[in-house]
Amino acid sequence: MDSTSFVTSYLDRTSKLLLELKSIQPLIVEAAARIEAALLDGKKVIFCGNGGSAADAQHLAAEFMGRFLIDRAPMPALSLTVDTSALTAIGNDYGFENVFSRQLQGIAVVGDVLFGMSTSGSSANVVKAFEVARNLGVFTIGLTGDGGGKMSLSANLLIAVPETKTSHIQEAHITIGHMICAMVEDAICLHKQ
């Protein structure tokens, strides 16, 4: 396949997938509503993920804490993927599967929201964080690929993108994250008027 054909084919597949997200629109809207309610109650949003999903976790936490489309007050959000000292110490002492759950035990309070991303839905450290979150009274939102993997058993709300290829799942994940951020930001700003 030549380069032009590859680009055309890739964009066709991505645009088709983004349109297919309309089929999970109610879940996206519910996720935004859950986050909005937590923030209005003085709670925070905590993000986690591995690899590209770790980058997306940081990205989305920054959109909430900084600003997205509206110049407004910061919304309390953080990513469990950014502290390399904590990640390596916990990974070394307690195992990599505990790098998020251990941090969650130290900072989460009842009513917070944990937003975990895993293209497979079966990342051991994200699944473990969801299990711990449930015991802490933290609402969990899982963002995965087709089928949901193990997170389908532990998430309070699962948004499974109807796709199996990692790159396209990640493209859909950041789109969903941006939509959620925009809806929450708009609702919070309207509420404070």
Side-chain angles (χ1 to χ4, degrees):
M1 179 183 299
D2 65 46
S3 296
T4 302
S5 297
F6 172 79
V7 170
T8 299
S9 174
Y10 194 98
L11 290 175
D12 285 347
R13 185 169 179 179
T14 300
S15 58
K16 181 178 181 283
L17 172 60
L18 293 181
L19 289 173
E20 288 174 0
L21 297 182
K22 291 179 181 179
S23 68
I24 57 173
Q25 179 179 346
L27 298 171
I28 297 168
V29 170
E30 183 180 348
R34 290 287 187 159
I35 292 171
E36 174 195 345
L39 293 174
L40 288 173
D41 192 35
K43 307 305 182 197
K44 62 189 168 295
V45 187
I46 304 165
F47 293 89
C48 66
N50 296 288
S53 296
D56 289 343
Q58 291 177 229
H59 178 159
L60 294 174
E63 302 288 24
F64 277 83
M65 189 62 83
R67 65 181 292 270
F68 184 55
L69 300 174
I70 301 171
D71 190 10
R72 40 85 182 153
M75 295 184 285
L78 61 108
S79 173
L80 300 177
T81 65
V82 299
D83 187 341
T84 55
S85 295
L87 292 171
T88 56
I90 295 167
N92 185 62
D93 295 345
Y94 298 98
F96 190 67
E97 70 278 6
N98 294 299
V99 294
F100 300 140
S101 60
R102 181 92 176 161
Q103 291 182 76
L104 200 62
Q105 288 171 321
I107 63 167
V109 298
V110 173
D112 283 347
V113 173
L114 175 64
F115 195 107
M117 292 177 276
S118 168
T119 58
S120 69
S122 295
S123 298
N125 52 11
V126 178
V127 172
K128 180 75 178 273
F130 274 37
E131 292 166 358
V132 167
R134 189 175 296 266
N135 292 333
L136 295 172
V138 171
F139 188 85
T140 56
I141 299 172
L143 194 53
T144 71
D146 197 38
K150 292 179 181 176
M151 286 168 63
S152 65
L153 304 173
S154 57
N156 294 116
L157 175 63
L158 184 76
I159 304 172
V161 171
E163 174 62 56
T164 58
K165 189 170 183 180
T166 298
S167 58
H168 292 298
I169 295 168
Q170 290 173 331
E171 291 153 4
H173 281 186
I174 203 61
T175 299
I176 291 167
H178 278 163
M179 287 189 287
I180 290 170
C181 189
M183 287 186 283
V184 171
E185 186 176 67
D186 188 57
I188 296 285
C189 288
L190 282 175
H191 186 268
K192 292 187 176 181
Q193 287 181 348

